[in-house]
Amino acid sequence: MRAFIASSIGVTCAAALVLPLAAPAGAAPDTPAHPATAGSVPAEASEPAGVPGSTQSLAMDPLASPSVRATGAPAAAAAEQGLPERDVQPFSLVGVVWDDVNTELHGTAQVRTRATGTGQWSDWQDLETHNAEHSADAGTAERDSGAARGSTAPLWVGDSDGVEVRVRPETPGPGEAAEAPVPLPAGLHLELVDPGKDPQQVPGTDPAESPATDPLEEGPGTGVAGADRATSPGAAAVLPALNRAETEEAAGLAPAAKPYIGPRPRIITRKGWGADEKLRESGFAYTKTVKAAFIHHSATGNNYKCSQAPSVLRGIYRYHVKSSGWRDIGYNFAVDKCGNIYEGRAGGVTKAVMGAHTLGFNTNTMGIAVLGTFTTSNPPAAAVNAVSKLTAWKLGLFGANPKGKVTLTSGGSNKYKKGKKVKLNVISGHRDGFATECPGARLYKKLGTARTSSAKLQGR
C-alpha cells in the first residue's frame, strides 16, 4: 500500500430556457489532465454517469506584457501566460496547475470571474502560488508515479460562467541586478471545478438528526474493515455529538482508567458532504498513532456561506484528486467558519489515517483545515472552538495532551532536513513544520487559546 502524499495547504466559496455551453477550445471537462496514479480507480470509470461535479482544464497561452505591447514584439516573446475573458461551463472553484511537481511558480497568478446570473465580473483575485509544501515526499511512490502535478491553492469564487486568468513571472525589484524573469513552469493549465449539487436528503429526514449509529467506531486498531464501512452506502451522514461517558464507552475505554478525552463533537461524514468515493484511490494508509495536530487554513477565501461549505469541500476534494493528482483530499478534517466539523481523508475518523497536509510531518499526526483565508482576517470564534473540541476528542483517543510538547522526526521539508528530530507543540500550526504563512497570522495567534480550551475539555 502506497504512502499518502506529504503535503500542506496554504502558504502565506434565470432564463426560461438555458442552452448548454459548448466546451471551450482546450477544455477537457471531466477528463483528468494527467495519468491515474497506480492503484487508483481507472479514469474512464472514475466518474460514471449521474455523478455530480466536473473539471474543465484549459491550457494557457502566452500573453503580451505591457512592454511587449509597447515595442510591438511578437506575442511569443511575452513571459506572461494566461487566457483572455471567455465563456465557460459553470464552475465554482478555480486553480492553476502545471506539469512538474518539483517546479515552483515564481510569480503571481490572478483570476477574474463572471458571476452566473448577474453577469458581473469580479476584481482580480490572487491565487496562492505555493507548491513545494503540499506535494508528495521525495522518493515516495506517490511523488514518482507521474500523476502528481504542481499546483496553486484553489480559490472558491461561487457560481460562475466566465473567467480570465493571467500568470506573471517574478521580476527583479528596484536596485536588484538586471536579470531576466524566472521562466514560468511548463504546461500551465487553468482548472475550473464544478463541485456538483449537494447530496439529496432522504424524504422526511434531516441529516442533522441521523440515527446515532456510528459505523466508524471499531475501538482500538487500524484495520481496514472498519474504515471500509465508513464509506459504505449504509454509513451515517452525521456522527452525533456524544457526552463524555458515551465517548469513553464508544472508544472502549474503561471508566476506572479516568482517561483524558474530550466528548466527541458532531462530525459531518464524507457521505454527509457528498464525497464521490469513486474519485479517490480505493486503498487506505495508516500510521501507528496520532501524536500531534497541525492546523491549516484552506486558502480558498472567505466568500462562502456555511451552507456552501460541503460544496467547497467537494471542490477542494476534486481539485486535489483530479487536478493535482493526489490520492484523496489532503486534510484529515475540515472546519467551516460556523464551527461545523467535517471528515476529510477517508479511512475512519477514529483511526490514525495518514493525511497529506504537512510536508515532512504527516506520519503520526493529523491535519485540520479551517475553510477560509486568515492572513489578515480573524477566524470566527466558532471555528476556533470547533478546533478545540475536535482535538480534545481525537488527540484524547491516542493519549496526547493538547498543551504538551512532542518530538517528531522530519521526513524532509524546507525547514527541517530529513531525519532531524524536532520538538513541537502537540497542537501546532503548519508554519511550525514548514516555512510558510499557513495557517495565516490571525489563525496562528489563536492556537494558544485552542490548546488551553482543548486541554480543559479533556479534563486536564
Side-chain angles (χ1 to χ4, degrees):
M1 186 179 297
R2 294 170 34 221
F4 278 99
I5 296 175
S7 69
S8 67
I9 307 297
V11 173
T12 9
C13 196
L17 176 63
V18 180
L19 297 177
L21 292 169
D30 256 4
T31 301
H34 45 83
T37 44
S40 66
V41 177
E44 62 272 16
S46 65
E47 297 176 69
V51 173
S54 64
T55 301
Q56 302 169 72
S57 186
L58 310 178
M60 293 192 199
D61 300 317
L63 296 178
S65 66
S67 60
V68 168
R69 289 194 293 268
T71 60
E80 182 178 340
Q81 293 189 41
L83 294 171
E85 288 185 8
R86 64 171 59 194
D87 296 339
V88 293
Q89 296 189 31
F91 70 98
S92 296
L93 182 138
V94 59
V96 170
V97 301
W98 53 93
D99 292 342
D100 189 356
V101 70
N102 297 309
T103 300
E104 285 298 316
L105 195 167
H106 296 286
T108 61
Q110 296 179 310
V111 296
R112 294 175 64 235
T113 57
R114 185 181 64 204
T116 302
T118 68
Q120 292 185 330
W121 284 88
S122 71
D123 294 331
W124 286 104
Q125 301 183 77
D126 292 325
L127 299 175
E128 292 201 7
T129 57
H130 63 277
N131 173 52
E133 85 284 359
H134 67 87
S135 56
D137 283 329
T140 62
E142 185 73 31
R143 193 179 186 96
D144 297 339
S145 68
R149 308 177 80 194
S151 59
T152 68
L155 178 70
W156 177 261
V157 295
D159 293 338
S160 305
D161 59 11
V163 70
E164 181 178 8
V165 60
R166 62 190 185 195
V167 182
R168 293 172 171 169
E170 190 176 69
T171 56
E176 295 182 10
E179 297 179 0
V182 177
L184 294 173
L188 287 171
H189 278 70
L190 179 67
E191 303 288 292
L192 305 176
V193 180
D194 172 14
K197 296 181 180 180
D198 286 322
Q200 295 297 317
Q201 297 182 9
V202 178
T205 65
D206 181 350
E209 302 298 330
S210 296
T213 55
D214 185 354
L216 309 184
E217 300 295 349
E218 299 295 325
T222 56
V224 176
D228 283 336
R229 283 194 286 275
T231 55
S232 70
V238 174
L239 303 182
L242 302 178
N243 61 33
R244 183 180 295 275
E246 292 169 335
T247 298
E248 293 174 359
E249 181 180 0
L253 302 173
K258 295 182 179 180
Y260 291 109
I261 182 171
R264 188 185 72 186
R266 178 178 180 270
I267 301 173
I268 299 170
T269 67
R270 290 172 64 91
K271 180 179 181 179
W273 57 264
D276 177 4
E277 301 300 346
K278 294 183 177 63
L279 286 182
R280 65 174 176 83
E281 292 191 7
S282 58
F284 306 102
Y286 301 93
T287 56
K288 293 181 179 180
T289 186
V290 178
K291 296 181 178 180
F294 283 96
I295 312 302
H296 306 261
H297 66 178
S298 63
T300 46
N302 303 321
N303 296 322
Y304 72 93
K305 299 177 182 178
C306 291
S307 60
Q308 295 175 309
S311 294
V312 176
L313 271 175
R314 291 197 304 278
I316 295 173
Y317 172 41
R318 178 174 283 272
Y319 184 74
H320 283 181
V321 176
K322 303 295 287 185
S323 300
S324 301
W326 300 7
R327 296 185 64 184
D328 192 352
I329 191 169
Y331 312 113
N332 297 106
F333 294 93
V335 171
D336 69 25
K337 56 189 177 183
C338 289
N340 296 304
I341 299 170
Y342 303 84
E343 176 187 13
R345 179 158 286 203
V349 295
T350 64
K351 311 295 185 182
V353 177
M354 186 173 184
H357 48 85
T358 306
L359 182 64
F361 294 98
N362 289 307
T363 299
N364 295 332
T365 70
M366 67 172 178
I368 302 171
V370 180
L371 298 181
T373 304
F374 303 107
T375 304
T376 58
S377 299
N378 289 322
V384 178
N385 289 338
V387 170
S388 300
K389 293 177 181 178
L390 177 58
T391 53
W393 169 69
K394 185 61 182 280
L395 292 173
L397 289 175
F398 295 89
N401 181 354
K403 290 199 301 184
K405 301 279 187 179
V406 63
T407 299
L408 301 174
T409 302
S410 174
S413 73
N414 68 351
K415 192 169 184 177
Y416 299 108
K417 65 180 181 180
K418 185 175 182 179
K420 183 175 178 60
K421 295 187 180 301
V422 184
K423 192 173 185 179
L424 298 170
N425 288 310
V426 168
I427 297 180
S428 286
H430 181 193
R431 62 175 62 183
D432 294 321
F434 196 96
T436 168
E437 291 184 12
C438 183
R442 298 295 182 90
L443 178 54
Y444 189 76
K445 289 181 180 179
K446 297 293 184 180
L447 296 188
T449 299
R451 294 181 192 108
T452 300
S453 298
S454 181
K456 184 175 181 180
L457 286 168
Q458 283 191 348
R460 295 182 185 272

